[in-house]
Amino acid sequence: DSQNGNTSYWRDVKIYDNYAFIVADNVGDHGMQIFDLTRLRDITSPETLSPNVVYNDVTSCHNIVINEASAVAYLVGCNNYSGGPHFVDISDPLNPTSLGGYSLDGYTHDAQVITYNGPDTAYTGKEILVGSNENKVVILDVTDKSTIIKIAEFDYPQIGYTHQGWFTDDQRYFLLGDETDEQNYGINTRTLVFDFQDLDNPELHFEYEGPTAATDHNGYVKDGIYYLANSTAGVRMIGINGIDSQ
């Protein structure tokens, strides 16, 4: 990544097909860079490489989310749409096309977007975005990019900075991390577990506190394990198969 001549401490890269989609925060005219990873296969010595394409409908973005099932990238924390999600069709990766955006709930720091197949059958097959929006969580139906439907929003006790969250494999629960609650409230690493059985009425199921007071950053679920990155306590692998009984 050439970084378009800028340096940033906040960068994000997501992969779709054989392409890397790269954004950076607080750097001016970075845009979303798209790089064909197959170009790396024949390289045998260090090279300086430039992106194949730079998508310039944004300049600076904090994060990028891709729903591979729909071939749509969701750029969040950008310079447009009040920092809310900016939708980009990447089905033809080297010809990205803007699909608009959503600004009504302000800045989205991070998000997960899924094609829903969870317990709330009213939304089966819909494209659902769960956004961590600094001081609240929003659940949006983003299936029709021209008509975004807000399903719910909620907060929780002892908000510091609503940072990032992830669905369990069955899409029943949503595990949320707050970036500054440990510092602000003197608690151990906290994960808030929400019951999403009814997307219109999410409920706090329980709070899990880890063994240290480290600041949690990002957490992801795969095959019944919650992989939680912490700023000063490494990566914790937490078994969550008993989450129903908590």
Side-chain angles (χ1 to χ4, degrees), residues 54-128:
V54 178
Y55 173 82
N56 287 313
D57 282 15
V58 295
T59 57
S60 172
C61 293
H62 185 74
N63 220 322
I64 176 173
V65 179
I66 293 177
N67 182 7
E68 295 185 31
S70 63
V72 175
Y74 296 81
L75 284 57
V76 297
C78 303
N79 59 291
N80 52 15
Y81 298 107
S82 302
H86 175 83
F87 316 131
V88 184
D89 181 346
I90 58 169
S91 56
D92 183 356
L94 297 182
N95 292 285
T97 305
S98 174
L99 299 173
Y102 176 80
S103 62
L104 297 182
D105 282 293
Y107 177 91
T108 297
H109 189 75
D110 205 340
Q112 184 181 14
V113 183
I114 60 172
T115 300
Y116 186 75
N117 191 32
D120 190 345
T121 55
Y123 294 98
T124 300
K126 300 292 188 180
E127 199 167 8
I128 301 298

Side-chain angles (χ1 to χ4, degrees), residues 185-200:
Y185 300 103
I187 59 178
N188 278 5
T189 309
R190 180 175 65 149
T191 300
L192 298 111
V193 179
F194 291 92
D195 189 341
F196 272 23
Q197 180 168 237
D198 179 358
L199 291 181
D200 296 88

Side-chain angles (χ1 to χ4, degrees), residues 92-216:
D92 183 356
L94 297 182
N95 292 285
T97 305
S98 174
L99 299 173
Y102 176 80
S103 62
L104 297 182
D105 282 293
Y107 177 91
T108 297
H109 189 75
D110 205 340
Q112 184 181 14
V113 183
I114 60 172
T115 300
Y116 186 75
N117 191 32
D120 190 345
T121 55
Y123 294 98
T124 300
K126 300 292 188 180
E127 199 167 8
I128 301 298
L129 181 149
V130 184
S132 296
N133 285 27
E134 299 189 290
N135 61 0
K136 64 180 179 180
V137 179
V138 297
I139 306 175
L140 307 176
D141 179 345
V142 295
T143 310
D144 180 351
K145 303 299 182 289
S146 64
T147 308
I148 305 304
I149 300 169
K150 185 172 182 178
I151 298 171
E153 74 168 57
F154 60 93
D155 58 16
Y156 50 89
Q158 296 179 300
I159 292 176
Y161 190 90
T162 308
H163 185 261
Q164 183 265 352
W166 208 254
F167 275 100
T168 53
D169 294 317
D170 62 1
Q171 300 177 3
R172 166 70 186 269
Y173 298 98
F174 189 79
L175 281 57
L176 180 72
D178 184 302
E179 189 173 21
T180 64
D181 53 353
E182 293 84 14
Q183 301 166 20
N184 292 358
Y185 300 103
I187 59 178
N188 278 5
T189 309
R190 180 175 65 149
T191 300
L192 298 111
V193 179
F194 291 92
D195 189 341
F196 272 23
Q197 180 168 237
D198 179 358
L199 291 181
D200 296 88
N201 295 288
E203 296 182 352
L204 181 60
H205 184 51
F206 73 99
E207 298 181 10
Y208 169 80
E209 286 196 17
T212 78
T215 297
D216 52 316

